Amino acid sequence: MSITMNERMTTIETAQSCQDRPPLQIAFLQATVKITRIECFRYDHELIAKLQLGDGVDTIYGLLAISTDTGAVGIKEFAIPSGSLKCDLTTWVALFQRIKGLTLTESMDYTQLKQAAWGPVRKELIESALQDLIEKTEPISLTNKDQKYILDRAYLYNYSQSYISF
């Protein structure tokens, strides 16, 4: 069984794709869709090898998933040098729980507000996952009919060294 995940894209590419949508539609969706769950999967060595990401010794690989009340899920893979963490991964991602219950607009604003305290790696990770989520909150996705990417949680549970959810 394979994982189907979003393509690796930059925040700039994501922002450019949002320019094609009507501004009022984007603003309405961002102001009404609320975040209901945040999950972080730390890949185990077997999955790291399957995905050919590296050896996983000096780098922590994983996936951040942000779910909304509409069923849309924004995901972002990450690779964090283990030396840059001053704590464990649970403590490192726990700061993201503050955006739970916020709308997408409020979440993006909160991320901007906390960028100095969070640092560039955390800020970029959460912003990228939120941008992916914004892309998936088009009206067809709100009915959960045409999700382009599927988050296969069962597969990730089997190949995760750790799992964090709030």
Side-chain angles (χ1 to χ4, degrees), residues 66-130:
I66 302 174
S67 303
T68 67
D69 54 355
T70 64
V73 180
I75 57 177
K76 179 64 179 172
E77 287 185 289
F78 61 84
I80 304 167
S82 52
S84 70
L85 292 179
K86 296 180 177 133
C87 53
D88 66 359
L89 187 62
T90 304
T91 305
W92 194 81
V93 298
L95 297 176
F96 296 153
Q97 69 184 325
R98 298 282 187 193
I99 67 170
K100 185 175 176 181
L102 299 179
T103 65
L104 298 179
T105 302
E106 293 168 338
S107 298
M108 290 300 272
D109 291 345
Y110 187 78
T111 301
Q112 292 297 317
L113 179 69
K114 292 295 186 178
Q115 69 183 355
W118 286 2
V121 175
R122 238 184 300 216
K123 178 189 172 285
E124 184 180 329
L125 175 61
I126 195 73
E127 276 186 346
S128 296
L130 287 168

Side-chain angles (χ1 to χ4, degrees), residues 11-23:
T11 305
I12 295 168
E13 291 168 331
T14 306
Q16 288 171 346
S17 67
C18 289
Q19 293 173 353
D20 299 334
R21 294 193 205 127

Side-chain angles (χ1 to χ4, degrees), residues 122-153:
R122 238 184 300 216
K123 178 189 172 285
E124 184 180 329
L125 175 61
I126 195 73
E127 276 186 346
S128 296
L130 287 168
Q131 286 293 348
D132 185 57
L133 185 56
I134 289 168
E135 284 188 354
K136 293 177 181 170
T137 54
E138 295 181 38
I140 194 162
S141 292
L142 289 175
T143 59
N144 215 11
K145 290 181 182 174
D146 189 29
Q147 288 270 336
K148 184 176 178 184
Y149 306 108
I150 299 166
L151 177 62
D152 188 349
R153 286 183 178 87

